[in-house]
Amino acid sequence: MPFAQSDTPEITEVGDRLLGASWEQWLTAGIVVVVAFVVGRLLRSGIQRVLAKDGTASFGARLLGRIVMYGVVVFGLVYSLGSLDVPLGPLFGVLGVAGLALALAFQDILGNFLAGVVLMLRRPFDVGDQIHTAGYDGSVEDVNLRATRIRQYDGTIVFIPNSTVLDNPIVNNTARGARRTTFDIGVSYDADLDHARQVILETLGRIDGVRDDPAPQAYVHEMGDSSINFAVRYWHAPRIADTWEVRDEVARALKRRFDDAGIEIPFPQRVLHLSTADATLTVNRPSDGGSGR
């Protein structure tokens, strides 16, 4: 039975061909679609394995695998329509018009898809990298055709549209395999600065998490109100957990070594001048309300 009259002859022709196909043709078309789907999934898995790094597929491999799978499935659908004697020319014409309308309606989704492809080609980060972008910090867990999934350091999951990621600066904290931290520590104005610097560098050299190359550094960078301040710079493993753990080790080790070496870490002080008719009294007091010395 032919389709009812339609304002679009191409749709009527396609409908008539579909209704007029035999069961053998429908069976062949169904088998083609199933095979295309299975082959597409196998190709996706194979691409991910081939492009895997250290046992974990990068997001580029995942995205490329998905694109190949969808391409194979679309090819299977087109071939199955051919087996049903559906005229592909008129059908593509109708699909082209419909595709244009869908592209206008879903331009944000299309933009995110293209941004995902660009991210795959440029590869500013991989799955497992810790990054900062668009105001978010965390570990990259996946990049699909729409969004980048990041697990933040507090355990929450955030999905950032690929176009937003591409349009914002991306800071990759783990790409180089090392990260530098600057730790400030002050000594009193009476301290021997050369000796204090030697103690700092010797202490850093004994901490397992501090890397020898590049070597740790300690520079006097400020004459403060109550102390002469050193900028202590050292390299360590790049992940955020390593940053906190090594920083804790450095702070506690320097405090112990300064105590043993008799190097004072001064607290902030204020000098008060109390004037009377007969004399002036000068009192040193800590600014935080603690006891004076």
Side-chain angles (χ1 to χ4, degrees):
M1 181 181 67
F3 267 33
Q5 290 295 325
S6 172
D7 294 335
T8 308
E10 292 85 354
I11 297 180
T12 301
E13 183 180 0
V14 170
D16 290 341
R17 292 295 180 88
L18 290 175
L19 290 178
S22 65
W23 69 268
E24 292 92 348
Q25 290 175 309
W26 278 105
L27 178 61
T28 301
I31 293 175
V32 169
V33 171
V34 172
V35 170
F37 181 76
V38 173
V39 171
R41 289 183 62 91
L42 291 175
L43 287 175
R44 183 185 67 176
S45 299
I47 290 173
Q48 292 178 358
R49 284 196 300 269
V50 170
L51 300 180
K53 288 185 176 181
D54 300 327
T56 303
S58 67
F59 83 85
R62 296 184 181 186
L63 186 58
L64 180 60
R66 291 190 181 110
I67 293 175
V68 171
M69 183 186 73
Y70 295 149
V72 172
V73 171
V74 170
F75 177 80
L77 288 173
V78 172
Y79 190 86
S80 67
L81 290 174
S83 67
L84 294 173
D85 294 329
V86 174
L88 298 181
L91 180 61
F92 284 154
V94 173
L95 292 178
V97 174
L100 179 60
L102 289 175
L104 294 175
F106 299 99
Q107 55 183 332
D108 290 340
I109 295 177
L110 180 60
N112 288 323
F113 169 79
L114 295 177
V117 174
V118 173
L119 288 174
M120 178 192 70
L121 297 176
R122 292 177 55 186
R123 296 184 62 182
F125 52 81
D126 281 325
V127 170
D129 283 348
Q130 292 186 343
I131 68 171
H132 170 82
T133 184
Y136 297 97
D137 295 270
S139 300
V140 178
E141 291 195 334
D142 187 29
V143 177
N144 55 39
L145 298 179
R146 189 191 71 84
T148 299
R149 186 177 73 205
I150 293 179
R151 180 180 294 275
Q152 299 188 98
Y153 300 132
D154 60 0
T156 57
I157 301 294
V158 58
F159 293 86
I160 309 175
N162 289 334
S163 58
T164 300
V165 176
L166 191 62
D167 290 340
N168 281 271
I170 301 172
V171 180
N172 192 327
N173 295 319
T174 53
R176 293 190 58 192
R179 190 175 181 179
R180 193 187 71 187
T181 290
T182 299
F183 181 86
D184 293 333
I185 189 170
V187 299
S188 68
Y189 273 85
D190 295 333
D192 183 337
L193 297 182
D194 291 334
H195 177 59
R197 182 174 184 271
Q198 180 182 359
V199 169
I200 292 172
L201 295 178
E202 288 178 353
T203 303
L204 293 177
R206 298 173 183 175
I207 299 175
D208 292 337
V210 175
R211 298 192 173 181
D212 298 329
D213 186 21
Q217 300 170 326
Y219 297 110
V220 174
H221 78 101
E222 182 184 25
M223 298 292 186
D225 294 337
S226 305
S227 63
I228 299 176
N229 299 322
F230 279 89
V232 180
R233 307 197 302 181
Y234 55 90
W235 291 83
H236 52 83
R239 308 192 73 81
I240 189 66
D242 301 315
T243 301
W244 284 104
E245 291 173 2
V246 177
R247 185 181 181 88
D248 173 73
E249 289 289 335
V250 168
R252 292 190 290 112
L254 286 177
K255 177 62 169 62
R256 288 193 300 266
R257 289 285 288 119
F258 274 21
D259 289 344
D260 293 341
I263 300 174
E264 179 185 3
I265 302 176
F267 50 82
Q269 300 181 18
R270 289 189 184 138
V271 178
L272 303 179
H273 298 277
L274 302 180
S275 299
T276 64
D278 300 324
T280 300
L281 176 64
T282 300
V283 180
N284 290 336
R285 301 187 60 187
S287 61
D288 58 0
S291 59
R293 291 188 179 180

